[in-house]
PDB file of all heavy atoms in Angstrom:
ATOM      1  N   ARG U  18      49.881 -55.243 -53.896  1.00  0.00           N
ATOM      2  CA  ARG U  18      50.337 -56.644 -54.261  1.00  0.00           C
ATOM      3  C   ARG U  18      51.627 -56.479 -55.027  1.00  0.00           C
ATOM      4  O   ARG U  18      52.600 -57.223 -54.746  1.00  0.00           O
ATOM      5  CB  ARG U  18      49.291 -57.329 -55.043  1.00  0.00           C
ATOM      6  CG  ARG U  18      49.552 -58.804 -55.403  1.00  0.00           C
ATOM      7  CD  ARG U  18      48.416 -59.396 -56.119  1.00  0.00           C
ATOM      8  NE  ARG U  18      48.468 -58.732 -57.475  1.00  0.00           N
ATOM      9  CZ  ARG U  18      49.123 -59.143 -58.466  1.00  0.00           C
ATOM     10  NH1 ARG U  18      49.964 -60.060 -58.334  1.00  0.00           N
ATOM     11  NH2 ARG U  18      49.004 -58.505 -59.684  1.00  0.00           N
ATOM     12  N   ARG U  19      51.664 -55.546 -55.993  1.00  0.00           N
ATOM     13  CA  ARG U  19      52.854 -55.509 -56.820  1.00  0.00           C
ATOM     14  C   ARG U  19      54.014 -54.931 -55.872  1.00  0.00           C
ATOM     15  O   ARG U  19      55.161 -55.430 -56.180  1.00  0.00           O
ATOM     16  CB  ARG U  19      52.576 -54.547 -57.958  1.00  0.00           C
ATOM     17  CG  ARG U  19      51.652 -55.082 -59.004  1.00  0.00           C
ATOM     18  CD  ARG U  19      51.277 -53.981 -60.085  1.00  0.00           C
ATOM     19  NE  ARG U  19      52.404 -53.476 -60.700  1.00  0.00           N
ATOM     20  CZ  ARG U  19      52.216 -52.462 -61.483  1.00  0.00           C
ATOM     21  NH1 ARG U  19      51.108 -51.756 -61.565  1.00  0.00           N
ATOM     22  NH2 ARG U  19      53.334 -51.983 -62.202  1.00  0.00           N
ATOM     23  N   ALA U  20      53.799 -54.064 -55.007  1.00  0.00           N
ATOM     24  CA  ALA U  20      54.881 -53.547 -54.294  1.00  0.00           C
ATOM     25  C   ALA U  20      55.385 -54.714 -53.365  1.00  0.00           C
ATOM     26  O   ALA U  20      56.648 -54.863 -53.238  1.00  0.00           O
ATOM     27  CB  ALA U  20      54.356 -52.411 -53.313  1.00  0.00           C
ATOM     28  N   VAL U  21      54.603 -55.484 -52.677  1.00  0.00           N
ATOM     29  CA  VAL U  21      55.016 -56.615 -51.890  1.00  0.00           C
ATOM     30  C   VAL U  21      55.826 -57.605 -52.662  1.00  0.00           C
ATOM     31  O   VAL U  21      56.935 -58.110 -52.284  1.00  0.00           O
ATOM     32  CB  VAL U  21      53.867 -57.315 -51.219  1.00  0.00           C
ATOM     33  CG1 VAL U  21      54.243 -58.560 -50.529  1.00  0.00           C
ATOM     34  CG2 VAL U  21      53.265 -56.349 -50.200  1.00  0.00           C
ATOM     35  N   ARG U  22      55.433 -57.932 -53.816  1.00  0.00           N
ATOM     36  CA  ARG U  22      56.114 -58.871 -54.799  1.00  0.00           C
ATOM     37  C   ARG U  22      57.432 -58.357 -55.147  1.00  0.00           C
ATOM     38  O   ARG U  22      58.420 -59.126 -55.404  1.00  0.00           O
ATOM     39  CB  ARG U  22      55.250 -59.338 -55.937  1.00  0.00           C
ATOM     40  CG  ARG U  22      54.024 -60.118 -55.559  1.00  0.00           C
ATOM     41  CD  ARG U  22      53.300 -60.606 -56.856  1.00  0.00           C
ATOM     42  NE  ARG U  22      54.133 -61.515 -57.623  1.00  0.00           N
ATOM     43  CZ  ARG U  22      54.196 -62.799 -57.329  1.00  0.00           C
ATOM     44  NH1 ARG U  22      53.552 -63.394 -56.385  1.00  0.00           N
ATOM     45  NH2 ARG U  22      54.931 -63.647 -58.122  1.00  0.00           N
ATOM     46  N   ALA U  23      57.592 -57.023 -55.252  1.00  0.00           N
ATOM     47  CA  ALA U  23      58.844 -56.397 -55.636  1.00  0.00           C
ATOM     48  C   ALA U  23      59.773 -56.239 -54.391  1.00  0.00           C
ATOM     49  O   ALA U  23      60.909 -55.847 -54.498  1.00  0.00           O
ATOM     50  CB  ALA U  23      58.607 -55.093 -56.288  1.00  0.00           C
ATOM     51  N   GLY U  24      59.209 -56.546 -53.200  1.00  0.00           N
ATOM     52  CA  GLY U  24      60.017 -56.513 -52.022  1.00  0.00           C
ATOM     53  C   GLY U  24      59.985 -55.249 -51.272  1.00  0.00           C
ATOM     54  O   GLY U  24      60.857 -54.900 -50.447  1.00  0.00           O
ATOM     55  N   TYR U  25      58.895 -54.443 -51.493  1.00  0.00           N
ATOM     56  CA  TYR U  25      58.816 -53.093 -50.821  1.00  0.00           C
ATOM     57  C   TYR U  25      57.491 -53.003 -50.129  1.00  0.00           C
ATOM     58  O   TYR U  25      56.503 -53.650 -50.316  1.00  0.00           O
ATOM     59  CB  TYR U  25      58.857 -51.940 -51.845  1.00  0.00           C
ATOM     60  CG  TYR U  25      60.162 -51.933 -52.504  1.00  0.00           C
ATOM     61  CD1 TYR U  25      60.353 -52.461 -53.812  1.00  0.00           C
ATOM     62  CD2 TYR U  25      61.305 -51.314 -51.954  1.00  0.00           C
ATOM     63  CE1 TYR U  25      61.614 -52.425 -54.403  1.00  0.00           C
ATOM     64  CE2 TYR U  25      62.496 -51.269 -52.611  1.00  0.00           C
ATOM     65  CZ  TYR U  25      62.630 -51.799 -53.803  1.00  0.00           C
ATOM     66  OH  TYR U  25      63.808 -51.774 -54.437  1.00  0.00           O
ATOM     67  N   GLY U  26      57.467 -52.044 -49.149  1.00  0.00           N
ATOM     68  CA  GLY U  26      56.194 -51.705 -48.447  1.00  0.00           C
ATOM     69  C   GLY U  26      55.690 -50.520 -49.184  1.00  0.00           C
ATOM     70  O   GLY U  26      56.303 -49.744 -49.828  1.00  0.00           O
ATOM     71  N   LEU U  27      54.389 -50.309 -48.997  1.00  0.00           N
ATOM     72  CA  LEU U  27      53.576 -49.192 -49.636  1.00  0.00           C
ATOM     73  C   LEU U  27      52.697 -48.482 -48.687  1.00  0.00           C
ATOM     74  O   LEU U  27      51.966 -49.133 -47.926  1.00  0.00           O
ATOM     75  CB  LEU U  27      52.755 -49.659 -50.760  1.00  0.00           C
ATOM     76  CG  LEU U  27      52.033 -48.580 -51.640  1.00  0.00           C
ATOM     77  CD1 LEU U  27      52.970 -47.689 -52.375  1.00  0.00           C
ATOM     78  CD2 LEU U  27      51.133 -49.319 -52.589  1.00  0.00           C
ATOM     79  N   ARG U  28      52.829 -47.151 -48.560  1.00  0.00           N
ATOM     80  CA  ARG U  28      51.941 -46.450 -47.636  1.00  0.00           C
ATOM     81  C   ARG U  28      51.566 -45.069 -48.157  1.00  0.00           C
ATOM     82  O   ARG U  28      52.304 -44.552 -49.009  1.00  0.00           O
ATOM     83  CB  ARG U  28      52.718 -46.250 -46.248  1.00  0.00           C
ATOM     84  CG  ARG U  28      53.981 -45.475 -46.427  1.00  0.00           C
ATOM     85  CD  ARG U  28      54.844 -45.644 -45.211  1.00  0.00           C
ATOM     86  NE  ARG U  28      56.111 -45.010 -45.329  1.00  0.00           N
ATOM     87  CZ  ARG U  28      57.337 -45.345 -44.599  1.00  0.00           C
ATOM     88  NH1 ARG U  28      57.056 -46.368 -43.754  1.00  0.00           N
ATOM     89  NH2 ARG U  28      58.480 -44.800 -44.779  1.00  0.00           N
ATOM     90  N   ARG U  29      50.273 -44.670 -47.823  1.00  0.00           N
ATOM     91  CA  ARG U  29      49.948 -43.406 -48.321  1.00  0.00           C
ATOM     92  C   ARG U  29      50.447 -42.252 -47.387  1.00  0.00           C
ATOM     93  O   ARG U  29      50.415 -42.312 -46.197  1.00  0.00           O
ATOM     94  CB  ARG U  29      48.329 -43.366 -48.348  1.00  0.00           C
ATOM     95  CG  ARG U  29      47.713 -42.038 -48.719  1.00  0.00           C
ATOM     96  CD  ARG U  29      46.256 -42.116 -48.873  1.00  0.00           C
ATOM     97  NE  ARG U  29      45.893 -42.632 -50.230  1.00  0.00           N
ATOM     98  CZ  ARG U  29      44.736 -43.167 -50.554  1.00  0.00           C
ATOM     99  NH1 ARG U  29      43.847 -43.352 -49.566  1.00  0.00           N
ATOM    100  NH2 ARG U  29      44.508 -43.550 -51.747  1.00  0.00           N
ATOM    101  N   LYS U  30      50.943 -41.269 -47.968  1.00  0.00           N
ATOM    102  CA  LYS U  30      51.525 -40.066 -47.208  1.00  0.00           C
ATOM    103  C   LYS U  30      50.281 -39.148 -46.933  1.00  0.00           C
ATOM    104  O   LYS U  30      49.373 -38.828 -47.732  1.00  0.00           O
ATOM    105  CB  LYS U  30      52.532 -39.382 -48.098  1.00  0.00           C
ATOM    106  CG  LYS U  30      53.717 -40.216 -48.328  1.00  0.00           C
ATOM    107  CD  LYS U  30      54.682 -40.347 -47.111  1.00  0.00           C
ATOM    108  CE  LYS U  30      55.426 -38.937 -46.874  1.00  0.00           C
ATOM    109  NZ  LYS U  30      56.325 -39.111 -45.720  1.00  0.00           N
ATOM    110  N   HIS U  31      50.340 -38.672 -45.637  1.00  0.00           N
ATOM    111  CA  HIS U  31      49.347 -37.609 -45.175  1.00  0.00           C
ATOM    112  C   HIS U  31      50.019 -36.143 -45.521  1.00  0.00           C
ATOM    113  O   HIS U  31      51.101 -35.916 -44.801  1.00  0.00           O
ATOM    114  CB  HIS U  31      48.999 -37.765 -43.828  1.00  0.00           C
ATOM    115  CG  HIS U  31      48.422 -39.138 -43.473  1.00  0.00           C
ATOM    116  ND1 HIS U  31      47.144 -39.331 -43.812  1.00  0.00           N
ATOM    117  CD2 HIS U  31      48.803 -40.302 -42.953  1.00  0.00           C
ATOM    118  CE1 HIS U  31      46.743 -40.477 -43.469  1.00  0.00           C
ATOM    119  NE2 HIS U  31      47.796 -41.186 -42.859  1.00  0.00           N
ATOM    120  N   THR U  32      49.423 -35.510 -46.374  1.00  0.00           N
ATOM    121  CA  THR U  32      50.048 -34.195 -46.625  1.00  0.00           C
ATOM    122  C   THR U  32      48.880 -33.115 -46.449  1.00  0.00           C
ATOM    123  O   THR U  32      47.759 -33.388 -46.264  1.00  0.00           O
ATOM    124  CB  THR U  32      50.440 -34.195 -48.210  1.00  0.00           C
ATOM    125  OG1 THR U  32      49.169 -34.272 -49.047  1.00  0.00           O
ATOM    126  CG2 THR U  32      51.295 -35.297 -48.548  1.00  0.00           C
ATOM    127  N   ALA U  33      49.444 -31.786 -46.468  1.00  0.00           N
ATOM    128  CA  ALA U  33      48.486 -30.763 -46.305  1.00  0.00           C
ATOM    129  C   ALA U  33      47.680 -30.459 -47.489  1.00  0.00           C
ATOM    130  O   ALA U  33      46.719 -29.664 -47.313  1.00  0.00           O
ATOM    131  CB  ALA U  33      49.405 -29.564 -45.941  1.00  0.00           C
ATOM    132  N   THR U  34      48.038 -30.990 -48.583  1.00  0.00           N
ATOM    133  CA  THR U  34      47.219 -30.779 -49.778  1.00  0.00           C
ATOM    134  C   THR U  34      46.314 -31.926 -50.028  1.00  0.00           C
ATOM    135  O   THR U  34      46.307 -32.964 -49.285  1.00  0.00           O
ATOM    136  CB  THR U  34      48.080 -30.519 -51.046  1.00  0.00           C
ATOM    137  OG1 THR U  34      48.776 -31.834 -51.288  1.00  0.00           O
ATOM    138  CG2 THR U  34      49.163 -29.523 -50.798  1.00  0.00           C
ATOM    139  N   ALA U  35      45.492 -31.789 -51.031  1.00  0.00           N
ATOM    140  CA  ALA U  35      44.552 -32.867 -51.320  1.00  0.00           C
ATOM    141  C   ALA U  35      45.162 -33.897 -52.297  1.00  0.00           C
ATOM    142  O   ALA U  35      44.476 -34.782 -52.709  1.00  0.00           O
ATOM    143  CB  ALA U  35      43.277 -32.315 -51.982  1.00  0.00           C
ATOM    144  N   ASP U  36      46.433 -33.695 -52.666  1.00  0.00           N
ATOM    145  CA  ASP U  36      47.102 -34.574 -53.623  1.00  0.00           C
ATOM    146  C   ASP U  36      47.096 -35.951 -53.001  1.00  0.00           C
ATOM    147  O   ASP U  36      47.341 -36.254 -51.829  1.00  0.00           O
ATOM    148  CB  ASP U  36      48.532 -34.120 -53.992  1.00  0.00           C
ATOM    149  CG  ASP U  36      48.417 -32.757 -54.612  1.00  0.00           C
ATOM    150  OD1 ASP U  36      47.365 -32.546 -55.236  1.00  0.00           O
ATOM    151  OD2 ASP U  36      49.508 -32.108 -54.612  1.00  0.00           O
ATOM    152  N   ASP U  37      46.986 -36.962 -53.898  1.00  0.00           N
ATOM    153  CA  ASP U  37      47.150 -38.438 -53.626  1.00  0.00           C
ATOM    154  C   ASP U  37      48.609 -38.812 -53.666  1.00  0.00           C
ATOM    155  O   ASP U  37      49.099 -39.011 -54.711  1.00  0.00           O
ATOM    156  CB  ASP U  37      46.235 -39.240 -54.398  1.00  0.00           C
ATOM    157  CG  ASP U  37      46.072 -40.710 -53.788  1.00  0.00           C
ATOM    158  OD1 ASP U  37      46.440 -40.932 -52.769  1.00  0.00           O
ATOM    159  OD2 ASP U  37      45.560 -41.514 -54.603  1.00  0.00           O
ATOM    160  N   VAL U  38      49.275 -38.885 -52.539  1.00  0.00           N
ATOM    161  CA  VAL U  38      50.730 -39.238 -52.536  1.00  0.00           C
ATOM    162  C   VAL U  38      50.986 -40.498 -51.879  1.00  0.00           C
ATOM    163  O   VAL U  38      50.488 -40.746 -50.747  1.00  0.00           O
ATOM    164  CB  VAL U  38      51.574 -37.994 -51.786  1.00  0.00           C
ATOM    165  CG1 VAL U  38      53.065 -38.400 -51.813  1.00  0.00           C
ATOM    166  CG2 VAL U  38      51.285 -36.707 -52.455  1.00  0.00           C
ATOM    167  N   TRP U  39      51.825 -41.347 -52.534  1.00  0.00           N
ATOM    168  CA  TRP U  39      52.132 -42.718 -51.991  1.00  0.00           C
ATOM    169  C   TRP U  39      53.700 -42.803 -51.960  1.00  0.00           C
ATOM    170  O   TRP U  39      54.463 -42.141 -52.630  1.00  0.00           O
ATOM    171  CB  TRP U  39      51.615 -43.796 -53.019  1.00  0.00           C
ATOM    172  CG  TRP U  39      50.180 -43.915 -53.045  1.00  0.00           C
ATOM    173  CD1 TRP U  39      49.287 -43.165 -53.644  1.00  0.00           C
ATOM    174  CD2 TRP U  39      49.422 -44.852 -52.209  1.00  0.00           C
ATOM    175  NE1 TRP U  39      47.962 -43.561 -53.305  1.00  0.00           N
ATOM    176  CE2 TRP U  39      48.051 -44.610 -52.521  1.00  0.00           C
ATOM    177  CE3 TRP U  39      49.648 -45.868 -51.354  1.00  0.00           C
ATOM    178  CZ2 TRP U  39      46.992 -45.325 -51.914  1.00  0.00           C
ATOM    179  CZ3 TRP U  39      48.633 -46.658 -50.698  1.00  0.00           C
ATOM    180  CH2 TRP U  39      47.356 -46.338 -51.049  1.00  0.00           C
ATOM    181  N   GLU U  40      54.026 -43.659 -51.027  1.00  0.00           N
ATOM    182  CA  GLU U  40      55.442 -43.923 -50.810  1.00  0.00           C
ATOM    183  C   GLU U  40      55.837 -45.407 -50.772  1.00  0.00           C
ATOM    184  O   GLU U  40      55.212 -46.186 -49.890  1.00  0.00           O
ATOM    185  CB  GLU U  40      55.848 -43.166 -49.365  1.00  0.00           C
ATOM    186  CG  GLU U  40      57.375 -43.314 -49.089  1.00  0.00           C
ATOM    187  CD  GLU U  40      57.714 -42.597 -47.771  1.00  0.00           C
ATOM    188  OE1 GLU U  40      57.464 -43.216 -46.705  1.00  0.00           O
ATOM    189  OE2 GLU U  40      58.159 -41.420 -47.805  1.00  0.00           O
TER     190      GLU U  40
END
Side-chain angles (χ1 to χ4, degrees):
R18 185 181 66 84
R19 290 171 61 192
V21 170
R22 290 186 66 84
Y25 297 96
L27 179 67
R28 58 196 171 204
R29 176 173 273 159
K30 295 283 287 183
H31 297 286
T32 65
T34 68
D36 295 336
D37 193 11
V38 178
W39 290 82
E40 183 178 79

